[in-house]
């Protein structure tokens, strides 16, 4: 019984490492047993909690009551989401931090995009932008690009299979004041990490201007926002969920089934002279039919022998 358990465990491990991954998750808000605000390590050099909300360009409050809470049923596929709102219309800085307690991953080496699901039903922004903070408290956002180059982002509406290319405005933001209105949008957004550049008043490592973030050192995700003056009521709630870092923003979405090859296979044409008669199957045909089964049996036997004998020894060596 112990040997069978070992074999099954090893097979499960092999399957886990073989599974394709669409990206590296930062958080989907499912694993929190609490959601607590603490300090702002970017501007105040405090110990962080799960999140911080306040002024967009400092570590003080913004003069409004800002609500940030995890809610059920409002996220991607009906999962949990972070609900955000405020009782005024001042600029908001929202940070979600990785801590030892919440176990959020900080190394996303190889990623090229921040991809996040958002629900802006019934509301929109004057201006908004995403960014990231590193472990030294440096902040990187698209806000610093300020029209220095075309700063694209991408949107996939819920229920659609076509990504739409949009651009940040001359202030490095999206919103109706930046000719990139997202009023009522619901779906996936993706932002190139190369456009998250160092903010001058949160540049504690004296990096060169326009230095992009390092995907292997992401200690927090940042969102600057304020309500649209044209379309949105004060107090409107919006939701964000499933924040992840991906190599390709078009990579399979979480939970998506891999595409199947639906191409019809051409039937194999067997020359008439090679067909076996019902009474006397040709020897070569019977041998050919048996060969794959024999090979499979040998391979399986070898695998079982290796796992049951050598596998246990290997595990003992690595402990």
């Amino acid at each position: 019984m112990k040997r069978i358990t070992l074999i099954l465990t090893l097979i499960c491990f092999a399957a886990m490492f073989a599974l394709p991954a669409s990206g590296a998750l930062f958080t989907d808000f499912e694993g929190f047993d609490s959601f607590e605000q603490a300090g702002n390590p970017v501007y105040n050099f405090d110990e962080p909690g799960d999140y911080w909300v306040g002024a967009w360009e400092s570590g003080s409050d913004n003069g409004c009551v800002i609500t940030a809470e995890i809610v059920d049923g409002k996220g991607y596929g009906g999962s949990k989401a972070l609900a955000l709102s405020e009782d005024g219309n001042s600029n908001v800085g929202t940070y979600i931090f990785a801590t030892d307690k919440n176990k959020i991953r900080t190394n996303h080496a190889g990623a090229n995009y921040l991809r996040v699901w958002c629900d802006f039903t019934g509301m929109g922004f004057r201006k908004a932008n995403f960014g990231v903070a590193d472990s030294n408290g440096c902040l990187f956002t698209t806000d610093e690009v300020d029209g220095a180059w075309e700063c694209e982002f991408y949107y996939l509406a819920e229920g659609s299979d076509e990504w739409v290319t949009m651009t940040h405005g001359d202030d490095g933001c999206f919103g109706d004041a930046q000719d990139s209105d997202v009023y009522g949008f619901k779906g996936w957004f993706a932002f190139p990490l190369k456009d998250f550049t160092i903010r001058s008043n949160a540049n504690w490592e004296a990096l060169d201007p326009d230095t992009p973030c390092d995907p292997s050192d992401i200690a927090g995700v940042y969102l600057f926002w304020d309500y649209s003056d044209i379309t949105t009521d004060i107090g409107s709630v919006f939701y964000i969920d499933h924040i992840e870092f991906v190599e390709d923003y078009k990579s399979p979405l979480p939970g998506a089934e891999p595409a199947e090859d639906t191409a019809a296979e051409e039937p194999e044409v067997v020359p008439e002279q090679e067909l076996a008669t019902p009474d006397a199957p040709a020897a070569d045909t019977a041998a050919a039919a048996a060969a794959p089964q024999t090979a499979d049996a040998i391979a399986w036997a070898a695998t079982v022998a290796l796992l049951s004998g050598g596998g246990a020894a290997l595990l003992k060596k690595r402990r």
Side-chain angles (χ1 to χ4, degrees):
M1 180 62 72
K2 290 182 178 179
R3 184 168 293 179
I4 293 174
T5 302
L6 172 62
I7 293 171
L8 293 175
T9 301
L10 291 174
I11 291 173
C12 289
F13 278 135
M16 287 169 58
F17 287 115
L19 289 175
S22 63
L25 181 67
F26 185 79
T27 185
D28 59 4
F29 301 104
E30 295 295 327
F32 288 93
D33 53 11
S34 63
F35 192 61
E36 300 172 354
Q37 177 168 219
N40 185 329
V42 173
Y43 288 106
N44 299 338
F45 309 108
D46 297 327
E47 191 69 23
D50 298 315
Y51 77 100
W52 187 89
V53 289
W56 72 278
E57 84 292 23
S58 71
S60 62
D61 65 53
N62 73 340
C64 297
V65 176
I66 306 165
T67 301
E69 60 181 350
I70 297 175
V71 296
D72 292 325
K74 293 295 188 178
Y76 175 59
S79 62
K80 292 182 179 180
L82 178 64
L84 293 166
S85 65
E86 73 165 339
D87 69 352
N89 199 16
S90 296
N91 296 342
V92 179
T94 303
Y95 300 79
I96 304 165
F97 291 114
T99 69
D100 291 338
K101 181 181 177 181
N102 62 36
K103 307 298 183 185
I104 291 177
R105 176 176 177 172
T106 59
N107 186 348
H108 301 274
N112 296 314
Y113 299 89
L114 165 67
R115 191 167 69 177
V116 55
W117 183 92
C118 302
D119 182 357
F120 302 143
T121 300
M123 63 81 58
F125 301 106
R126 182 189 68 91
K127 292 182 181 180
N129 67 75
F130 279 92
V132 297
D134 69 13
S135 58
N136 295 311
C138 293
L139 183 61
F140 305 78
T141 84
T142 60
D143 200 7
E144 279 53 61
V145 176
D146 283 345
W149 61 82
E150 188 170 74
C151 194
E152 294 182 343
F153 66 101
Y154 311 95
Y155 170 63
L156 178 68
E158 191 166 87
S160 173
D161 58 3
E162 182 177 353
W163 286 89
V164 176
T165 300
M166 303 180 68
T167 56
H168 292 80
D170 59 5
D171 194 27
C173 297
F174 58 90
D176 58 27
Q178 291 280 274
D179 296 323
S180 51
D181 191 5
V182 296
Y183 177 86
F185 282 23
K186 182 179 181 180
W188 291 91
F189 291 80
F191 303 90
L193 296 182
K194 67 178 180 61
D195 295 333
F196 293 172
T197 60
I198 186 67
R199 177 172 289 181
S200 59
N201 77 337
N203 184 5
W204 314 121
E205 297 298 305
L207 302 172
D208 292 335
D210 297 332
T211 298
C213 68
D214 177 3
S216 68
D217 182 14
I218 294 177
V221 171
Y222 168 84
L223 172 63
F224 156 80
W225 61 276
D226 67 345
Y227 291 126
S228 167
D229 298 321
I230 303 169
T231 64
T232 304
D233 294 331
I234 301 301
S236 294
V237 182
F238 65 95
Y239 307 93
I240 65 174
D241 184 26
H242 210 100
I243 302 168
E244 62 180 359
F245 293 91
V246 295
E247 182 179 6
D248 181 358
Y249 70 91
K250 292 184 177 180
S251 62
L253 298 175
E257 294 293 333
E260 295 183 1
D261 185 4
T262 57
E265 295 184 1
E266 292 291 334
E268 183 180 358
V269 178
V270 181
E272 185 176 353
Q273 62 270 24
E274 294 184 10
L275 290 174
T277 63
D279 296 333
D284 290 345
T285 303
Q293 300 175 34
T294 303
D296 289 345
I298 293 173
W300 176 247
T303 301
V304 171
L306 175 62
L307 292 175
S308 60
L314 181 61
L315 283 181
K316 289 180 181 178
K317 281 186 177 180
R318 292 183 176 271
R319 285 179 178 172

